[in-house]
Amino acid sequence: MNLKLKRDGLKAIDGHVLKSFPRECCGLLLGKFGENVIEVEEVVGADNVLGSPVAFEADAELVFKTIKRAEKSGLELVGIYHSHPKIAAYVSARDSEMMKLWQGFAWLIVSAAKERVVERKAYMPKDGEIGELEIAVM
Ligand SMILES: [Zn+2]
């Protein structure tokens, strides 16, 4: 399964990640679920209401409003992204707990150092298992 991102969407995510460093940032991925592919059409940065270097929680009202707006333009919520300042883009214990509530969505994790993105990984929790997604940039 592929997670397809547009170049400018990826740039927006990287910018948000670096601007928020050393705190974690998070955001929403809007697009469409296809056959073996998740196409991201729009990236929406969210405030990390926890303001933490090791945890994130998106502003609930923004999430609600964004999903409503996406529906009107024929898109749906397909995933979320968050950053891992100073640590690798692995699924943390906290992530894996949260993934139980976000089954069937793409999870993009971006690892960052002070001034650069180190790595990006994408996962898909489904049916109680966590698979890895291939990231493709259009
Ligand atoms: Zn995480």
Side-chain angles (χ1 to χ4, degrees):
M1 180 100 95
N2 279 310
L3 178 66
K4 259 193 182 175
L5 286 146
K6 291 185 172 148
R7 204 159 288 280
D8 56 346
L10 198 65
K11 244 182 158 176
I13 294 171
D14 286 357
H16 190 201
V17 166
L18 295 176
K19 201 181 83 186
S20 309
F21 190 92
R23 286 172 294 121
E24 280 196 18
C25 75
C26 56
L28 306 170
L29 306 174
L30 305 179
K32 287 175 186 158
F33 288 105
E35 196 136 323
N36 263 321
V37 63
I38 298 168
E39 294 200 39
V40 178
E41 297 283 341
E42 195 187 331
V43 169
V44 182
D47 280 336
N48 177 2
V49 295
L50 302 182
S52 160
V54 293
F56 75 96
E57 191 180 305
D59 176 63
E61 196 179 325
L62 178 94
V63 174
F64 179 76
K65 280 187 181 159
T66 303
I67 292 171
K68 285 279 155 215
R69 184 173 60 76
E71 280 171 359
K72 279 186 194 148
S73 52
L75 300 176
E76 52 187 327
L77 180 68
V78 294
I80 57 176
Y81 72 86
H82 75 283
S83 62
H84 276 185
K86 300 182 197 170
I87 56 168
Y90 70 99
V91 176
S92 70
R94 190 184 156 90
D95 291 336
S96 107
E97 274 307 302
M98 282 181 69
M99 279 177 177
K100 290 176 187 165
L101 305 172
W102 289 83
Q103 294 277 306
F105 290 99
W107 276 64
L108 175 64
I109 304 181
V110 180
S111 158
K114 194 170 189 305
E115 273 156 2
R116 68 191 174 92
V117 164
V118 178
E119 66 171 347
R120 304 180 189 93
K121 286 199 171 172
Y123 305 91
M124 162 72 87
K126 203 172 183 182
D127 304 324
E129 283 180 35
I130 301 168
E132 199 168 333
L133 302 174
E134 198 82 40
I135 298 172
V137 182
M138 295 179 276

